[in-house]
Amino acid sequence: MEEKIKVLVVDDSRIIRRFIKKSLLNLGYEVNSAEDGVDALEKIKIDSYDILLTDLIMPKMGGISLVKEIG
């Protein structure tokens, strides 16, 4: 059985997260979501992802800071 590609969607807008998540699920991806960069870092500590889709401007930690933190 082939493993699905795992995607982490990071956006402070719940509507945007739901839309992207539903679209990716329909394409066969395994999808998790986070509401900001801090939440995303916590999820990355627990699980690994193949793709990160992130908003750039968010409260607490934006996408650019998140990517720098992941390194």
Side-chain angles (χ1 to χ4, degrees), residues 22-67:
K22 183 177 180 183
S23 298
L24 292 171
L25 287 170
N26 287 337
L27 292 170
Y29 293 96
E30 183 177 330
V31 184
N32 200 349
S33 61
E35 60 187 41
D36 57 44
V38 175
D39 186 27
L41 283 176
E42 291 301 314
K43 293 184 184 217
I44 289 169
K45 288 178 186 176
I46 296 168
D47 206 350
S48 62
Y49 297 91
D50 301 301
I51 298 173
L52 172 71
L53 293 176
T54 184
D55 187 2
L56 294 179
I57 302 171
M58 297 178 285
K60 296 184 185 176
M61 179 185 287
I64 294 171
S65 297
L66 171 61
V67 172

